[in-house]
Amino acid sequence: MSMRIRIELSIMMFLQFFIWGAWCVTMSTYLGEDGLNFGGFWKGQAYSTTAYAAILSPFFVGMVADKFFSAEKVLGIMHLLGAVLMFYVSKLDQPVVFFFVLLAYALCYMPTLALTNAIAFNQMKDPEKEFAPIRVLGTLGWIVAGLIITFVLDKAVFKDLQVEASPIPMKMAALASLVLGVYSFFLPNTPPKSRGQKVTMADVLGLDALRLLKDRSFAVFVGASLLVCIPLAFYYQLANGFLNATSMEGVAAKMTLGQASEVFFMLVMPFFFARLGVKKMLLVGMLAWVARYLLFAFGNADSLVFMFYGGILLHGVCYDFFFVTGQI
């Protein structure tokens, strides 16, 4: 892979996760008492939109990218649509309308996670060695989003406003989505692999992928993924609001320590691949989720604040050892 392509893919990853980090982390606080005050039910529904989209969108967008259009073009269109929808979401204050427009946005965003991976993997000869240094730029994008919210927008630009409880992070995400939407059309060409082939109902429903469950190791991995994603959903939805409620200060910036940990462990993943192997890495990743929730359960913002920091810093092991290892 040439240096030019490596840089292009790194910028793509940076913007991809900058967008998600900009709106997802602080939305819990924005929908809480200091913001729109939607209540627990609608806050949960708002975060459920990404789960619904992750299930529904591949049936359409995955088929389109695989059969008809180049992945980078589909990526660009999805992010341009997402920019419009996210900006519209930032203007809403009615729970029902907020939910459905955010769901429409999620249906545009969630497929782009697979599309960016597809574009990156298409350029690689040795993913185990080449993917992590590029994917780590996505983590840096998430970190930069949190730091901008806390130290630029909250501390410098909007000094009299609690930015985390405002729609400003969503507007920042919309702007970044617009930039990535335009940039995507200049990425390396990733043509559809199944162009010209007949589209069957099995393709649309993903039944070919379900046949992989006949393999015992793959079935165990899918089952473990399902269980791990349950606490993952709680972390993404409630961690920011939970830490703010404990009177911890600068939460958005401090939560980026988790992504800093993610950067470190992603860079040393080739070492662990060689020493531990995939199965042990997945197991360590799952055990890390248990440890971090124990730290959050028994910590506080005073004498035991180190436990909160420990729970945040374990994010690198939790995410890299399970999800990134699984992707590779």
Side-chain angles (χ1 to χ4, degrees), residues 166-189:
S166 77
I168 293 173
M170 289 186 162
K171 293 177 181 178
M172 185 172 77
L175 178 60
S177 188
L178 176 63
V179 173
L180 181 52
V182 175
Y183 178 76
S184 297
F185 291 98
F186 299 94
L187 288 169
N189 183 42

Side-chain angles (χ1 to χ4, degrees), residues 16-202:
Q16 176 71 28
F17 287 89
F18 179 96
I19 294 166
W20 202 358
W23 70 269
C24 187
V25 174
T26 60
M27 187 172 69
S28 177
T29 301
Y30 176 49
L31 300 183
E33 294 180 359
D34 295 330
L36 295 179
N37 196 22
F38 276 3
F41 174 79
W42 284 109
K43 185 186 295 186
Q45 291 304 304
Y47 275 102
S48 73
T49 56
T50 53
Y52 295 139
I55 295 170
L56 296 173
S57 57
F59 294 148
F60 173 69
V61 177
M63 182 180 69
V64 169
D66 194 45
K67 301 286 185 183
F68 303 108
F69 301 103
S70 297
E72 75 279 2
K73 292 184 174 62
V74 179
L75 180 69
I77 292 170
M78 291 293 100
H79 274 299
L80 290 175
L81 289 173
V84 175
L85 289 167
M86 179 53 71
F87 184 76
Y88 185 34
V89 169
S90 72
K91 300 289 187 180
L92 300 174
D93 58 7
Q94 295 297 317
V96 177
V97 181
F98 187 98
F99 167 77
F100 281 107
V101 179
L102 187 62
L103 176 61
Y105 169 78
L107 287 168
C108 292
Y109 181 83
M110 295 310 290
T112 64
L113 295 171
L115 290 170
T116 51
N117 283 345
I119 293 168
F121 284 130
N122 190 62
Q123 307 298 321
M124 297 177 184
K125 295 180 180 179
D126 189 355
E128 286 190 14
K129 293 181 179 179
E130 295 177 299
F131 183 67
I134 290 174
R135 172 59 182 80
V136 76
L137 266 293
T139 304
L140 289 175
W142 190 293
I143 292 172
V144 170
L147 294 177
I148 288 176
I149 290 171
T150 296
F151 294 112
V152 178
L153 299 178
D154 194 53
K155 302 294 185 183
V157 180
F158 302 100
K159 296 180 180 180
D160 298 325
L161 179 68
Q162 186 183 355
V163 172
E164 291 186 34
S166 77
I168 293 173
M170 289 186 162
K171 293 177 181 178
M172 185 172 77
L175 178 60
S177 188
L178 176 63
V179 173
L180 181 52
V182 175
Y183 178 76
S184 297
F185 291 98
F186 299 94
L187 288 169
N189 183 42
T190 307
K193 293 183 178 181
S194 303
R195 176 178 284 171
Q197 297 182 16
K198 183 179 179 181
V199 179
T200 65
M201 186 58 65

